[in-house]
Amino acid sequence: MIFVRELNESLHRLLETDERVVVLGEDIADPYGGAFKATRGLTTKFPDRVLTTPVSEAGIVGVAAGLALSGYRPIVEIMFGDFVTLTFDQIVNHVTKYGAMYDGKVTCPVIIRTPSGGHRGYGPTHSQSLEKHFLGVPHLTVVAASPYHDPGETLTALLQRDDPVLYVEHKLLYPEHVVRPSGSRVGDAIGHEESTPGWLPSVVLSQVASEDCTVTVLAYGYSALLAARALEELAVEEEVFGELVVPAQIAPMDWAPVESSVERTGSLVTLEEGMADWSWGTEAAAEIGRRRFSQLRRPVQVVASEPTVIPSSRDLERDVLVGSDTMKEAIREAAA
Amino acid sequence: MTAVTIPWTDVNDDSATVVEWHVEDRAEVRAGASLVDVETSKSAIEIEAPSDGLVLQLVPVGGEISVGQPIAHVFQDEAALAAFEEERKKEAPSAPEPGDEVRASDKARARARELGVDLSTIAGAGLITIKDVEAAAGAADEAPPTDLPAPLPGDGKSKRLLLIGAGLGATQVLDILAETDGMEGIGIVDDNVAAWGREVEGVPVVGGTDQMQAHWKSQAFDAAVIAISTSVDARARLRELCRATGIPLANVIDQRSKISTGVTMGEGNVICAYTHFGTGTEVGDNNFISAYNSYDHHNVLGSDISTGPGCMTSGEVKIEDRVRLGTGIFIEPKLTLGEGVIVASGSVIVRSVPAGHAVKTKVVTTTVVPIRPR
């Protein structure tokens, strides 16, 4: 199951089965079908409920907010995650505030999907992972697509809630296969899904039994895929064993699966493609440090990209974004 | 041969789809002629032949090709094309080796080769690790090996002893036996597989402790002695193993030691040179007493004790089972060291020590300083 195809099919399915669903975004109409083809075929099949819009991200989210207040379930596509800054005011000052401002009498369940991330040579303004600026916005749920979560299941679960959601989809996940936990396996690895009621599930996987793992690796999105490959290489080549925890929901965070893994391994590394400092990983370090201080044998290691502008040249981009080598080095150190 | 690759035209695409070939496979083409059309998500690209020659198509219509990968080769003549195809056949992946399809770490693969373990016989939920391979090898070793050396026949007069433990303790025991009339070492057992087949002072390691019973039944030896000095727990465990299988233990006593009047001694004791047991001292079973120990009159020693060199007791001292003494220890009269007590080197003991306790020393410091030039 290829991620972008599954995403496209689930949008078709949601429009079919839930008449409240509407889809808005730039250039999402056929025949183009969206910059990454996630919306291909939607305008042909649902011309009245799929709107291709002018280039105004703040406007799109504003319209979506109005639709959501009126009982619709708008799913917005922001063509590149880098443009999500233009929606920041709508999200922070409007979408996430209506519920409280109207004393719980209204809900504003807008879902904003956006392709994000680098490693493609798209340069400074089309390669970023800006979700860290949205972590901790009150009443906003931030969700990240992963190689181990079905986008259809995720969207279906989100439509059953009334929270505003930012759903980030790393571009490099689009052509990847989604591997769902099945039995006690995740593809070739040992693994399972851990879900706390009220939260989206986390997927936990390792190359050997988790008792033999000496580090927990926490990663989301495309970084989770890179981390899984790094962990497989470390296991095969060096017998360094780590357990990977991949949450779908990255804010607010369900720390339970991370805590139970750290209880087994005694060490934690966080990996993210977003820029270092004031990040998802630093929050994880603070939380897990506070909750599991006595079980950690070393400080939590936070790995993130260089806090600078992402270059267009792929060679230079590689020096800025977190890649496999950096991940392996950090995991090796934390596993010792 | 010239490789034809597709150009990178836009950032959206790393690959293209073949739409149409304008030249038949293996047909002739002129440089600059239209060769093939490919399509990315943004554009259609026409690719020209880079040189004159014969075209070998590498991707069919509808097939996907990554940017930078060859879509075709152009050869100057039939011979070059044939040579290339021959080469390509050779490079075709050969049949996989047995065990290749198994997921195992590199270390596990290397160890499996060393130990002759077939990886495909190891069942596991995850990646096979070196630990799994060694466990499997250990299990396989339970089958009696066939190529182990036999114990020595003996001189026909002396009591034939089987040593347990092929470490440095074995050299100490064999050294004592070399000067002891009426006793000789004829074989050694050790549970470390790596030691099997080796010799210690000319005495072969004939297998693990699980082989003892077979050798005992075939009357290959008359008694055993435990030649392990470092672990009192191992001594106790192995003594119990011998007792359970009816194998008697022998005392091995250096002829330079002094056993006074009225000393009683059990079995399985190893007594090294210049050790003194004073009058009326009782010694239990299976103790390993190093050189230059002195247990004065009317001491009582339990069993499975191990001592370092130079331990001295005064009269009427009681040392219970599994006590472990370091080097150079002095013990005042009438004291008792309880079961399992451990005493650090250099201790001077002036009060009794209850069972299960350790004695640390106050001053065991060696300060090393450079010699001051004169």
Side-chain angles (χ1 to χ4, degrees):
Chain A
M1 171 174 57
I2 301 294
F3 184 91
V4 73
R5 262 182 235 158
E6 180 59 26
L7 176 62
N8 179 250
E9 280 170 26
S10 40
L11 288 172
H12 276 274
R13 197 166 54 242
L14 292 171
L15 280 160
E16 251 158 48
T17 54
D18 189 340
E19 59 185 16
R20 302 171 305 164
V21 172
V22 289
V23 175
L24 299 84
E26 296 161 7
D27 249 346
I28 62 172
D30 291 335
Y32 188 60
F36 295 90
K37 313 303 167 203
T39 54
R40 187 178 270 169
L42 295 183
T43 48
T44 307
K45 219 160 159 196
F46 308 96
D48 300 336
R49 289 161 64 202
V50 180
L51 264 62
T52 190
T53 66
V55 180
S56 171
E57 284 76 9
I60 307 168
V61 176
V63 169
L67 285 163
L69 288 169
S70 322
Y72 288 93
R73 290 289 177 153
I75 300 176
V76 171
E77 176 175 299
I78 301 296
M79 189 188 276
F80 277 86
D82 309 72
F83 313 154
V84 86
T85 49
L86 295 161
T87 69
F88 198 59
D89 176 63
Q90 280 297 329
I91 291 172
V92 172
N93 281 321
H94 304 278
V95 174
T96 55
K97 284 203 169 105
Y98 289 136
M101 284 161 71
Y102 291 95
D103 196 22
K105 291 189 184 97
V106 299
T107 58
C108 193
V110 176
I111 296 176
I112 301 166
R113 293 179 38 244
T114 189
S116 66
H119 299 289
R120 293 275 298 175
Y122 287 1
T125 58
H126 290 71
S127 307
Q128 301 169 92
S129 300
L130 293 179
E131 56 272 15
K132 82 169 197 181
H133 301 292
F134 292 82
L135 305 176
V137 170
H139 307 293
L140 178 67
T141 299
V142 184
V143 177
S146 100
Y148 308 111
H149 293 88
D150 180 331
E153 285 175 35
T154 302
L155 286 174
T156 305
L158 293 173
L159 282 173
Q160 277 156 18
R161 304 179 180 186
D162 291 330
D163 315 314
V165 175
L166 176 65
Y167 182 55
V168 291
E169 301 159 4
H170 196 290
K171 300 173 187 89
L172 290 190
L173 287 178
Y174 288 136
E176 294 292 337
H177 281 274
V178 178
V179 180
R180 293 287 294 141
S182 148
S184 56
R185 307 202 67 82
V186 181
D188 282 340
I190 302 173
H192 61 277
E193 194 160 78
E194 241 171 89
S195 46
T196 310
W199 298 87
L200 294 178
S202 294
V203 174
V204 180
L205 63 152
S206 55
Q207 294 294 325
V208 297
S210 62
E211 305 86 72
D212 292 330
C213 294
T214 55
V215 60
T216 298
V217 179
L218 177 62
Y220 68 85
Y222 181 63
S223 290
L225 188 65
L226 287 182
R229 288 176 186 159
L231 281 168
E232 185 175 355
E233 282 172 28
L234 284 170
V236 170
E237 290 163 16
E238 302 173 32
E239 293 217 348
V240 168
F241 304 124
E243 185 166 60
L244 178 62
V245 179
V246 184
Q249 185 172 329
I250 60 172
M253 262 294 280
D254 173 18
W255 298 108
V258 189
E259 287 185 73
S260 63
S261 177
V262 165
E263 200 174 312
R264 294 187 285 271
T265 65
S267 179
L268 176 66
V269 179
T270 69
L271 307 174
E272 66 198 295
E273 193 180 305
M275 301 296 167
D277 309 336
W278 310 94
S279 73
W280 183 67
T282 55
E283 179 70 10
E287 270 305 314
I288 298 300
R290 186 174 67 76
R291 292 166 189 238
R292 296 284 163 168
F293 185 72
S294 61
Q295 281 150 343
L296 288 166
R297 60 174 190 278
R298 62 192 311 288
V300 175
Q301 180 128 343
V302 177
V303 180
S305 294
E306 290 293 317
T308 185
V309 175
I310 300 173
S312 299
S313 146
R314 282 201 176 183
D315 286 337
L316 296 176
E317 182 187 42
R318 209 168 291 135
D319 294 341
V320 169
L321 298 181
V322 174
S324 304
D325 290 345
T326 314
M327 287 184 179
K328 277 161 89 169
E329 205 179 301
I331 294 168
R332 205 180 279 127
E333 196 183 318
Chain B
M1 179 188 95
T2 317
V4 184
T5 56
I6 60 166
W8 199 43
T9 55
D10 62 85
V11 292
N12 262 3
D13 298 288
D14 284 333
S15 65
T17 307
V18 176
V19 181
E20 190 182 357
W21 284 97
H22 299 303
V23 180
E24 296 276 308
D25 197 20
R26 290 156 207 278
E28 252 183 80
V29 72
R30 286 273 186 215
S34 177
L35 187 62
V36 59
D37 291 345
V38 298
E39 189 180 69
T40 70
S41 73
K42 297 226 167 176
S43 54
I45 311 162
E46 185 182 338
I47 297 173
E48 295 176 352
S51 56
D52 294 352
L54 295 168
V55 172
L56 181 68
Q57 296 180 3
L58 299 175
V59 185
V61 169
E64 203 164 276
I65 170 91
S66 297
V67 170
Q69 290 295 306
I71 193 169
H73 290 309
V74 180
F75 298 88
Q76 62 229 80
D77 50 37
E78 285 284 354
L81 175 59
F84 174 82
E85 293 210 293
E86 193 57 34
E87 198 57 33
R88 198 163 59 166
K89 252 184 232 156
K90 273 190 219 149
E91 280 169 15
S94 50
E97 300 228 348
D100 268 5
E101 68 286 359
V102 174
R103 298 192 71 243
S105 76
D106 293 348
K107 283 180 186 171
R109 283 188 198 283
R111 194 82 179 106
R113 275 194 296 275
E114 264 171 44
L115 296 173
V117 172
D118 178 1
L119 286 172
S120 62
T121 61
I122 301 176
L127 188 78
I128 295 170
T129 65
I130 196 163
K131 205 171 75 177
D132 301 325
V133 171
E134 285 179 349
D141 285 337
E142 279 167 19
T146 50
D147 56 347
L148 287 172
L152 301 174
D155 60 12
K157 297 172 291 188
S158 303
K159 190 171 184 176
R160 296 163 303 162
L161 295 191
L162 180 76
L163 276 62
I164 304 175
L168 296 180
T171 65
Q172 288 177 282
V173 171
L174 290 170
D175 176 70
I176 298 169
L177 289 174
E179 297 183 338
T180 306
D181 289 337
M183 272 191 180
E184 60 182 334
I186 53 82
I188 305 172
V189 291
D190 196 304
D191 285 334
N192 173 17
V193 179
W196 294 3
R198 280 194 211 147
E199 286 190 353
V200 180
E201 307 297 332
V203 179
V205 181
V206 299
T209 51
D210 54 349
Q211 313 277 312
M212 273 198 303
Q213 184 69 0
H215 289 303
W216 175 245
K217 280 202 176 131
S218 65
Q219 302 183 344
F221 66 97
D222 302 307
V225 62
I226 300 167
I228 296 167
S229 62
T230 46
S231 165
V232 293
D233 292 332
R235 290 193 73 81
R237 178 173 55 76
L238 292 165
R239 177 165 71 95
E240 177 53 31
L241 180 68
C242 290
R243 194 196 59 75
T245 47
I247 296 172
L249 293 173
N251 288 320
V252 174
I253 303 171
D254 193 286
Q255 58 176 340
R256 286 170 207 78
S257 52
K258 157 80 174 169
I259 314 289
S260 304
T261 316
V263 169
T264 62
M265 193 177 285
E267 58 171 32
N269 295 290
V270 177
I271 313 291
C272 294
Y274 305 109
T275 284
H276 160 244
F277 290 103
T279 52
T281 285
E282 300 169 25
V283 182
D285 299 323
N286 194 37
N287 300 300
F288 195 110
I289 309 294
S290 291
Y292 288 102
N293 276 212
S294 177
Y295 300 88
D296 219 287
H297 67 92
H298 301 96
N299 275 211
V300 178
L301 273 69
S303 296
D304 308 322
I305 295 164
S306 175
T307 75
C311 296
M312 305 273 173
T313 69
S314 197
E316 295 176 71
V317 167
K318 193 171 181 207
I319 300 177
E320 296 185 346
D321 294 349
R322 294 188 310 284
V323 166
R324 174 120 170 76
L325 301 181
T327 300
I329 289 162
F330 296 91
I331 303 173
E332 287 276 72
K334 299 189 180 182
L335 300 182
T336 299
L337 303 187
E339 274 184 31
V341 161
I342 300 170
V343 183
S345 296
S347 301
V348 176
I349 298 182
V350 298
R351 49 166 281 199
S352 290
V353 183
H357 282 67
V359 176
K360 296 180 177 180
T361 43
K362 246 186 181 159
V363 185
V364 190
T365 307
T366 307
T367 310
V368 179
V369 296
I371 298 164
R372 191 179 295 167
R374 295 191 169 222

